[in-house]
Amino acid sequence: MGILEDIWDFIYDFCMYVWTNGDLLAFLIVAALGVAGALYVVTDKQPVHSAFYLALVFVTVAVSYFFMEAEFMGVIQMLVYVGAITVLFAFCIMLTRRHIIEEGEE
């Protein structure tokens, strides 16, 4: 039973450490959202949904920059990647999907 008690004590100590440090807890939540969004980017069948999940991943990266106190990089990440690149992807997907659908009907 000694090993199980040691494992339980480690888990309990880690959970208490995370709970008492709010910034670590917030970072872990943001990181989990980023990983989940990245998984949805590659597994979703709708390309438009994948583009917007990619925007979620970009937002979590920007928030991570804010956690590292690199505010300028976080703002640039939000403006360039979330604002411009995601909109570019969405427009490209919408324009090419219409062309593919029209060719398939012929």
Side-chain angles (χ1 to χ4, degrees):
M1 286 303 250
I3 273 189
L4 291 176
E5 288 177 8
D6 290 340
I7 292 172
W8 178 254
D9 288 340
F10 173 75
I11 292 172
Y12 178 77
D13 290 340
F14 179 74
C15 290
M16 290 308 295
Y17 179 75
V18 169
W19 186 254
T20 56
N21 294 318
D23 55 344
L24 178 62
L25 181 63
F27 176 76
L28 290 176
I29 291 170
V30 169
L33 282 173
V35 170
L39 289 173
Y40 279 120
V41 167
V42 297
T43 59
D44 202 347
K45 294 189 187 309
Q46 297 289 331
V48 176
H49 293 173
S50 291
F52 288 116
Y53 285 128
L54 186 64
L56 173 67
V57 173
F58 288 153
V59 167
T60 59
V61 170
V63 171
S64 297
Y65 281 131
F66 285 113
F67 278 124
M68 293 185 289
E69 297 180 0
E71 292 87 6
F72 180 74
M73 289 300 295
V75 169
I76 295 301
Q77 177 82 17
M78 292 287 279
L79 290 175
V80 173
Y81 284 100
V82 178
I85 301 298
T86 304
V87 170
L88 176 70
F89 283 169
F91 280 136
C92 291
I93 290 169
M94 287 188 285
L95 290 173
T96 56
R97 291 279 295 179
R98 183 174 180 155
H99 184 66
I100 291 170
I101 292 172
E102 288 176 359
E103 284 182 4
E105 292 175 356
E106 294 177 5

